[in-house]
Amino acid sequence: MTTTLIPILGDQLTPDISSLDGADPDTSVVLMMEVADETTYVSHHKAKIAFILSAMRHHAARLRQLGWTVEYVKLDDPDNSGSFTGEVARAVERHSPDRIVVTEAGEWRVAAMLDQWETRFEAEVEIRPDTRFIATHADFDDWAEGRSQLRMEYFYREMRRKTGLLMDGDKPEGDKWNYDKANRKPPPGGTLDMPRPIEFQPDDVTREVIDMVAKRFADHPGSLDSFHFAVTHEEAMRAKRQFLDHALPCFGDYQDAMLTGEPFLWHSILSPYINCGLLDPLDLCRDVAERYADGKVPLNSAEGFIRQIIGWREYVRGIYWREGPDYVARNFLNAKRDLPGVYWTGDTDMHCLSQAIGQTLDHAYAHHIQRLMITGNFALLIGADPKQVHEWYLEVYADAYEWVELPNTLGMTQFGDGGLLASKPYASSGSYIDRMSDYCTHCRYDVKQRTGEDACPFNALYWDFLARNEDKLGDNRRLSMPYRSWEKMDADTKRSLRASARAFLDRLDGASGAD
Ligand code: FAD
Ligand code: DLZ
Ligand code: SF4
């Protein structure tokens, strides 16, 4: 009898995955593998490993219920070879399949493994497109072809047209494509009405995984103490409804806001579920559009949210695959500083940094503006090596897979690609953080001061960054204002800003903390 082997990777946790399309449950074997290669190619946050392995185990049970034969290899199985290819080889020995059908991987590293299977195994190997995305690789390449700049906004409009989301015929709903300007409100004063994500209590399966992770990955960053992720499709659907009902209405207004002790605000916290397959991104966007059509959420929230998914998410994926495996090595600004130890401890007097890193270590989560304007901005200003910055983001967030993390980190926050993704570096002084958060009011530093013992370090670092990189950034039209301000400063001011930055960086290099 013809047998088909269907390996399902840890970020392919949906019964709608393309590798299962048209397969016959009677003659197919699904293979799911917990492997050391995947758990250690970077030192993932403990909660990220626990989340993915628990979601995988629950998904295997779901597939069995749906009638599939699933072989599941656990990390501590004595014969576990430790790699996808090794486990497929063992399954090939057991079943001598005629065909291996797999959905394409989400990273160049794993794609290269899958590409070897054709020559390594006698079975015919079929690698199928991942149909969970709206744009195929060809769609993105067609759009990108011949353009001198690949700006997200224009790609996003194509995706709106393709999906029909928030479209009124061929016009955008409300006559405008983008309501970003309405989405920059500072944080509200009182936080009593803040929505809370559901805290899912670990079941037996999750508890077993958590115990195993605590022992086996004790030296990995992060804590397991506040593990409350959804680990099944049903739980993820509950998390989705919670977001739609309670957070989405204000999502737009407070998308960029940051508040002390409030890691989640009005964000969805759905990225771990979308990226591993527990939730479908297009379904989610349709739900959001429906809430808008029913008058339950304002247009700036609905459009802002849908843009993140069919715009940014699809766009960074397109960039990742288009730019190729060497993208990771780009370092336009030639930044070489080691990422300081504070990124693994959160132990610093810089309140914004300790909040963003502290919650990251606690929850394997930080929202976009914290990633971009706190940890990303700080790494950019101090001149941290973009590859190390990239590896840190890949390690610490439960939603991190290279296809989505790398362009956001190396491209958007570190300007490592020289402006392919961002038209200017996302560099800012303390004033942006002060405007968008309450962090500065809780900080030992004074955001208004630029030099001296009590001055906010972001201020001198910002000017030092511009001065240091003037040969590479001086011509950037979007930076003409700050460069003009820099030129107008007298020599003493310039000298003292650069000396303050130098002193801070020397302290940083000498210590493992950030202050
Ligand atoms: P919400 O604020 O509720 O946004 C809704 C959804 O939009 C998210 O769930 C996500 O699916 C999508 N989204 C929003 N912004 C982006 C974006 N820039 N790129 C892709 N999708 C986006 N997102 C990841 O999913 N994985 C990553 O590894 C990742 N790394 C990042 C690294 C850096 C340096 C930066 C600046 C951003 C990164 N992002 C990443 C994007 C974004 O920060 C997260 O998607 C978001 O914070 C997830 O939280 P949420 O679900 O509450 O998002
Ligand atoms: C991230 C991750 C981890 C930590 N562990 C596993 C695993 O043991 N088995 C698995 O199938 N997938 C895991 N993953 C997710 C994979 O790294 C991800 O599926 C690949 O990077 C392909 O994109
Ligand atoms: Fe951060 Fe500076 Fe504000 Fe302190 S004063 S919270 S270091 S921006």
Side-chain angles (χ1 to χ4, degrees), residues 292-362:
Y292 166 71
D294 293 347
K296 291 182 178 147
V297 301
L299 185 52
N300 70 317
S301 282
E303 188 281 318
F305 189 83
I306 286 172
R307 174 162 25 92
Q308 305 312 314
I309 301 220
I310 69 168
W312 279 110
R313 186 171 184 272
E314 294 281 333
Y315 167 80
V316 296
R317 176 178 186 253
I319 295 276
Y320 177 76
W321 290 109
R322 188 176 162 80
E323 291 305 306
D326 299 339
Y327 186 66
V328 69
R330 296 205 200 159
N331 189 352
F332 176 73
L333 297 176
N334 199 21
K336 297 214 167 108
R337 173 164 278 101
D338 284 338
L339 195 64
V342 64
Y343 276 79
W344 286 271
T345 64
D347 189 9
T348 166
D349 282 349
M350 297 175 71
H351 185 64
C352 52
L353 212 52
S354 89
Q355 283 285 301
I357 296 172
Q359 73 165 70
T360 296
L361 297 173
D362 285 347

Side-chain angles (χ1 to χ4, degrees), residues 8-11 33-35 38-39 41 44 48-49 52-53 56 75 84 105-107 109-110 401:
I8 290 188
L9 311 183
D11 58 353
M33 311 151 267
E34 297 177 2
V35 290
E38 297 309 301
T39 52
Y41 69 90
H44 302 284
K48 176 182 182 185
I49 302 180
I52 291 170
L53 300 193
M56 283 175 64
L75 204 53
F84 284 145
E107 307 192 351
R109 181 183 61 82
V110 182
Y401 302 87

